[in-house]
Amino acid sequence: MEKALIVVLGDETILPEICGPNDGNLRVFEELLGVRVIPRGNEILLETGDSEVERTFRSLLQQVEDHVRLGQLPGPDLIRSLHRAITEGDAGRAELFKSAAVAIAGGYRKVYPRTLNQARYLDDINRHELVFGIGPAGTGKTYLAVAQALSQVCGQGRRKLVVTRPVVEAGESLGFLPGDLGQKLQPYLRPLYDAIEALVPPETVARLEEAGAIEVAPLAYMRGRTLSNAFIILDEAQNTTREQMKMFLTRIGENSRTVVTGDITQIDLPRRSDSGLLHVTSLLRSIREISFVWFEEQDVVRNPLVRRIVHAYETAHEE
C-alpha cells in the first residue's frame, strides 16, 4: 500500500498533544479512517493510497491542530465529532467547536465543547433567553451551563448567578440526615458547588458569595422572587412538579439568561407524569426565544464506562 507523508506544519512541539496520551488520539484516527497512522518526528505517516482518505485526514489534522494552538487538549470525543462534521461537509459545524469556547475571567482555563450537542448548547445559551438541556448523566449539561454563567458574572455581563434545584428524596429521607435544615440540604446542593469549584479558585467563589454574586439554594426558596440581570440555572429539573416548573419559569426577570437541565430517565417523583420537565417539552416548543437541546449517549464525556452503562440502561428500557 502506498504511503502518504503528512507534515504537521514543521512544529514538532505540538505533536504530543495531537497524538494524545500513549498515542491514544492516533488510534482514534485509525479507527475513523480505516488506515494505519504513524508519528515520526514532526511528520505523520498515513498508510493509504486513497486520496479521499488523505484529504479527510488533512482536514481533520488541521482542525485538531487549531484546537491545540487555542489551548485545548483534544480527546477522542472531540476528534470523532470533528470527523463527523468534515465527512458530512459541514465546515461551520467544525468551526462551532472553537467559537463556542467559554473563557472565565480568573478561571482555571477555557472550557471547550467536546461534542456537537455541547457546542450547540453553549451557542444557544448565548443566543436564547431560555435554554433546556435534556439528556443522560455525564453529558456536561450542568458543568457547561455553570461555565457560561461564571463567564458572564465574572465578566460583569450579569449581576449574579443563581443556581437552584428541587430537593426530592431518592429512596432516602431528609429526616434521617443529621444536623439542622441547612446541613440536611447540603448534600443536595453539593453537586452544584462541585461544578463551580471546578472552574474557578476557592477564593473567587468566596469573594463572589460574599458580594452576593453567587447564590445556591433549593427551588422552594425561589417562590415570590423576580430575578433580573441574572444568570439562572435550574438543575435536576426532571424532579420538579408542573406547578414548581411554572413557578420557576415565571421568576425570570429582565436581562436574564436561564438554563434548565435534567434527565427524564431519572425522575424520582411518585408519578412520572407529574414531572414539570416532561410537561414543558411539549408545552413550550413553539416559543421562538426558547431552545431545547437534547443530549444523547454519544455526548457522555465522563469515563467511557459511563457511556456503556447509559447504553445498557437505554437498551434494557426499550426491551
Side-chain angles (χ1 to χ4, degrees):
M1 182 178 293
E2 182 182 350
K3 292 185 178 180
L5 185 64
I6 308 297
V7 179
V8 189
L9 297 181
D11 189 348
E12 188 175 348
T13 62
I14 66 171
L15 193 58
E17 284 78 13
I18 291 176
C19 295
N22 300 315
D23 289 343
N25 289 346
L26 296 188
R27 305 293 78 81
V28 178
F29 284 130
E30 291 179 335
E31 170 198 327
L32 296 171
L33 301 170
V35 299
R36 193 174 178 210
V37 180
I38 307 166
R40 184 176 298 174
N42 66 338
E43 301 171 342
I44 294 181
L45 289 175
L46 190 68
E47 288 191 345
T48 181
D50 189 326
S51 59
E52 184 60 34
V53 170
E54 183 179 336
R55 279 195 296 271
T56 299
F57 180 67
R58 286 183 182 275
S59 297
L60 182 56
L61 190 62
Q62 183 61 61
Q63 287 290 337
V64 172
E65 183 177 347
D66 289 347
H67 281 271
V68 172
R69 294 187 186 282
L70 287 170
Q72 182 184 19
L73 296 179
D77 295 313
L78 176 63
I79 293 171
R80 289 191 177 97
S81 297
L82 290 171
H83 177 263
R84 191 176 306 117
I86 290 167
T87 54
E88 292 176 2
D90 193 341
R93 193 197 307 175
E95 290 302 313
L96 183 60
F97 282 94
K98 288 176 274 191
S99 62
V102 181
I104 304 170
Y108 288 123
R109 59 191 173 276
K110 260 190 175 183
V111 176
Y112 291 87
R114 293 163 61 181
T115 71
L116 176 60
N117 278 333
Q118 287 189 351
R120 286 173 172 163
Y121 182 55
L122 288 173
D123 187 57
D124 281 2
I125 292 173
N126 277 329
R127 296 189 297 109
H128 293 82
E129 294 181 44
L130 174 59
V131 175
F132 288 84
I134 305 171
T139 51
K141 305 181 299 294
T142 303
Y143 180 81
L144 295 174
V146 169
Q148 280 280 28
L150 288 172
S151 174
Q152 296 193 20
V153 171
C154 293
Q156 309 300 314
R158 308 282 169 192
R159 178 177 56 87
K160 69 183 302 182
L161 162 60
V162 178
V163 194
T164 186
R165 61 176 292 180
V167 176
V168 175
E169 300 168 8
E172 302 87 17
S173 173
L174 276 172
F176 292 102
L177 292 174
D180 58 22
L181 180 60
Q183 292 170 320
K184 290 176 186 289
L185 293 172
Q186 187 61 25
Y188 291 87
L189 304 178
R190 185 67 247 174
L192 301 173
Y193 280 104
D194 288 343
I196 294 170
E197 292 168 358
L199 291 161
V200 294
E203 56 270 21
T204 301
V205 178
R207 175 174 54 80
L208 291 171
E209 285 189 313
E210 185 178 344
I214 291 183
E215 177 184 348
V216 181
L219 180 60
Y221 290 17
M222 298 298 109
R223 190 174 298 277
R225 302 177 62 183
T226 299
L227 301 171
S228 300
N229 194 25
F231 197 113
I232 314 157
I233 300 173
L234 170 59
D235 195 37
E236 297 290 335
Q238 76 275 5
N239 288 328
T240 61
T241 63
R242 295 186 181 193
E243 292 75 17
Q244 286 175 323
M245 179 64 77
K246 179 182 178 182
M247 179 274 291
F248 171 78
L249 294 177
T250 54
R251 301 307 95 205
I252 302 172
E254 294 182 354
N255 192 35
S256 287
R257 279 285 186 275
T258 304
V259 180
V260 178
T261 72
D263 178 359
I264 58 176
T265 68
Q266 295 190 25
I267 296 173
D268 296 318
L269 299 173
R271 292 191 307 176
R272 177 180 171 85
S273 59
D274 288 338
S275 171
L277 184 60
L278 276 180
H279 183 232
V280 297
T281 55
S282 57
L283 183 68
L284 304 181
R285 245 182 214 289
S286 61
I287 301 179
R288 186 183 59 184
E289 292 83 3
I290 300 175
S291 166
F292 286 86
V293 179
W294 294 86
F295 292 91
E296 302 171 345
E297 170 196 329
Q298 292 82 0
D299 297 303
V300 175
V301 293
R302 287 182 184 166
N303 187 311
L305 179 60
V306 175
R307 183 178 295 173
R308 293 194 286 273
I309 291 171
V310 170
H311 176 73
Y313 272 97
E314 289 182 348
T315 301
H317 180 71
E318 293 169 0
E319 291 177 349

